[in-house]
Amino acid sequence: VTHVPGEARLAAARDLDGMLRCDPLAARGDRERADFIRQALARGECQVHVADGVVRGFMIVRPAHFFGRDFIDLLVVDPAARRRGIGRLLLRHGLATAGTSQVFTSTNVSNQPMRSLLRAEGWFFSGELHGLDEGDPELVFYQSRRP
Ligand SMILES: CC(C)(COP(=O)(O)OP(=O)(O)OC[C@H]1O[C@@H](n2cnc3c(N)ncnc32)[C@H](O)[C@@H]1OP(=O)(O)O)[C@@H](O)C(=O)NCCC(=O)NCCS
């Protein structure tokens, strides 16, 4: 990532509003989604990207959640700040700060931006899960921790 202004760091309680604003679902008033993010924040499982004091993106990493490996549950960049390298930066930050030597994540087949990002970052395909979203399988990927 050449020049992305701002920094990625562990999210604090004060970041909640900014995180909810970044996420189109939560911003639209999806209570379940907002609760999901709030609970992850309370567990200390969120990383944020902040530029000029504004949260532009965040990531939820669940420690040892997936067969004993850290699992990225959610990676979201503010729609107004996409394609500037923030997603890539958060992903690398997650790898650098992982508590396990491998990190896993997953995305729907239909999610081209996330699949492109994972491909661009050299993540490895692990497998395909059926039965979660009807007609839109879940693709699992992994990468090794890189300091
Ligand atoms: C997926 C997501 C996090 C990517 O964030 P981002 O900050 O826009 O991604 P980056 O700018 O770091 O992209 C890095 C590379 O990934 C690829 N990429 C990212 N978005 C892409 C898109 N929409 N189309 C094609 N390639 C894309 C490109 O190779 C890109 O490099 P480039 O811009 O130099 O071509 C963002 O689209 C998002 O928040 N999506 C909604 C939430 C979601 O579905 N998250 C994933 C499931 S948890």
Side-chain angles (χ1 to χ4, degrees):
V1 185
T2 40
H3 239 64
V4 184
E7 55 148 5
R9 58 159 171 79
L10 187 67
R14 67 176 183 283
D15 297 315
L16 178 64
D17 287 348
M19 291 166 66
L20 297 179
R21 242 178 273 125
C22 273
D23 180 61
L25 280 179
R28 230 182 281 139
D30 185 324
R31 290 270 300 275
E32 234 176 272
R33 178 77 154 203
D35 285 344
F36 174 73
I37 294 168
R38 193 176 296 116
Q39 285 159 16
L41 181 63
R43 287 193 301 265
E45 296 176 353
C46 296
Q47 305 284 337
V48 282
H49 186 273
V50 182
D52 296 328
V54 179
V55 176
R56 309 281 189 194
F58 69 91
M59 183 175 62
I60 297 178
V61 186
R62 310 199 63 178
H65 180 67
F66 190 75
F67 295 94
R69 276 76 161 177
D70 284 8
F71 187 82
I72 298 173
D73 233 346
L74 187 60
L75 170 62
V76 178
V77 173
D78 185 326
R82 287 183 191 168
R83 293 310 285 273
R84 296 184 200 167
I86 294 173
R88 193 195 290 274
L89 201 133
L90 276 168
L91 208 51
R92 289 186 184 183
H93 181 73
L95 281 178
T97 56
T100 55
S101 62
Q102 287 179 316
V103 178
F104 279 69
T105 192
S106 72
T107 183
N108 284 110
V109 164
S110 63
N111 193 338
Q112 278 303 337
M114 185 62 177
R115 290 178 62 186
S116 298
L117 172 59
L118 292 168
R119 191 179 317 117
E121 286 296 286
W123 284 57
F124 301 98
F125 178 64
S126 175
E128 185 170 321
L129 302 178
H130 293 260
L132 295 167
D133 286 331
E134 186 66 33
D136 194 5
E138 196 77 16
L139 304 177
V140 180
F141 295 86
Y142 67 99
Q143 182 59 281
S144 298
R145 181 172 51 203
R146 283 181 300 205

